[in-house]
Amino acid sequence: MINGYNSDRDKATSDDKLVARSKNGDKAAFEILVRKYSKYVYTTAFFMVRDSHEAEDISQEVFVKVYLAIGGFRGLSSFKTWLRKLTVNTCIDKLRLRSKTADRKVSLDSLVEDGKEILLYEFNQNVEKFFQDKEAVKDILKIIVNLDESYRIPLILRDLQDYSYIEIAEILKKPVGTVKTNIHRARKIIKNLMIDK
Amino acid sequence: MKELIMKTLNKFFKVAKDIVVDPGNDIENRIMDKIKNLSDEDKVILDDDFMNFLKKSNSRLYLFNKKLKENCGLIVFFGILGLAAGTFLLIEYRNYKNQKA
């Protein structure tokens, strides 16, 4: 699925309009936002908590929070950024609650077989080139999804969600140095496993 | 070689940002159903953590401070650059004054 947006600016403008309408109680506008971002929220949650049911619950919780609090959103950041931070915070809360749970292996293949599919989304680059890279990207995601939590979460926040090291350290309540070390180690693991393939 | 692998990895991470996993079970409709059937009890979801997040995301001062913290290296660099430029101009000005005298 490739969205036909010309630029990030167009996207932001259309989001701003939808948010403004939602603030005025327009449920149709809010539904457009849900349809536009539900997969994005779900994917973020899935890679963080590694459980499709929990990721779905988190997606519902995030949009309920957005719906109830959208009147208080002042728009100092883009709606997508706000939504992303809210999703990450909700996931971190869930992970803290179940921090004693042992890590388990998750297969991205079984997820795809389970009726879930990896899709193209908001992709603005050369499509043909993307399909060449897609398999390699899937391999990397398979490795990421099976990384230990202490490596997986900082790596996802840094490399997939564009958080700064300081932000990650604040969220995870860990020193910046530890965060940097864990991200470095995670990248090294991915690099080594990709070389072995 | 290591650098090349890291470059390639970074490129793949960039691509991975645009990928979604399709939940494959009409998640949008279920979210909207939930929203259409919200009760007062559901408002407990807006707990202290969330209200704190909302307050921070609506505070220009907080966001500005965060930007400062994240770019403190750059700020120190420009500070040193400014100081160096100021010192240079001061020395030049003094030389000019001495020559004139």
Side-chain angles (χ1 to χ4, degrees), chain A residues 33-61:
Chain A
L33 286 173
V34 169
R35 293 196 181 279
K36 193 170 170 184
Y37 289 114
S38 57
K39 288 187 178 71
Y40 172 72
V41 169
Y42 174 85
T43 304
T44 304
F46 175 76
F47 281 110
M48 289 190 75
V49 298
R50 306 192 309 179
D51 181 289
S52 52
H53 296 294
E54 207 173 346
E56 217 178 298
D57 288 345
I58 289 171
S59 307
Q60 279 201 5
E61 191 177 325

Side-chain angles (χ1 to χ4, degrees), chain A residues 99-113:
Chain A
S99 59
K100 301 291 173 217
T101 314
D103 264 359
R104 61 194 187 289
K105 291 275 171 197
V106 178
S107 157
L108 208 60
D109 282 335
S110 70
L111 185 81
V112 175
E113 283 160 17

Side-chain angles (χ1 to χ4, degrees), chain A residues 117-169:
Chain A
E117 213 185 326
I118 295 200
L119 295 176
L120 273 164
Y121 185 68
E122 292 181 11
F123 195 71
N124 298 321
Q125 295 172 35
N126 182 318
V127 179
E128 196 181 315
K129 182 92 183 66
F130 176 79
F131 279 105
Q132 289 167 9
D133 293 343
K134 197 178 173 186
E135 285 311 307
V137 173
K138 270 168 98 171
D139 286 339
I140 289 176
L141 291 176
K142 279 179 203 172
I143 297 169
I144 292 176
V145 90
N146 277 309
L147 283 174
D148 186 81
E149 196 172 298
S150 57
Y151 295 151
R152 188 178 81 252
I153 303 297
L155 182 88
I156 289 173
L157 294 179
R158 178 70 191 159
D159 287 333
L160 302 183
Q161 300 293 336
D162 293 327
Y163 275 65
S164 69
Y165 289 115
I166 294 174
E167 274 181 303
I168 299 168

Side-chain angles (χ1 to χ4, degrees), chain B residues 11-48:
Chain B
K11 190 187 83 179
F12 289 151
F13 281 140
K14 213 173 165 190
V15 175
K17 284 179 199 170
D18 296 319
I19 276 181
V20 294
V21 176
D22 184 8
N25 51 5
D26 213 7
I27 193 170
E28 296 95 343
N29 287 343
R30 278 192 283 119
I31 291 170
M32 285 315 292
D33 282 347
K34 173 86 183 159
I35 284 165
K36 281 170 190 161
N37 296 306
L38 283 179
S39 65
D40 280 346
E41 285 169 17
D42 290 310
K43 288 185 181 169
V44 294
I45 212 167
L46 303 181
D47 54 12
D48 288 347

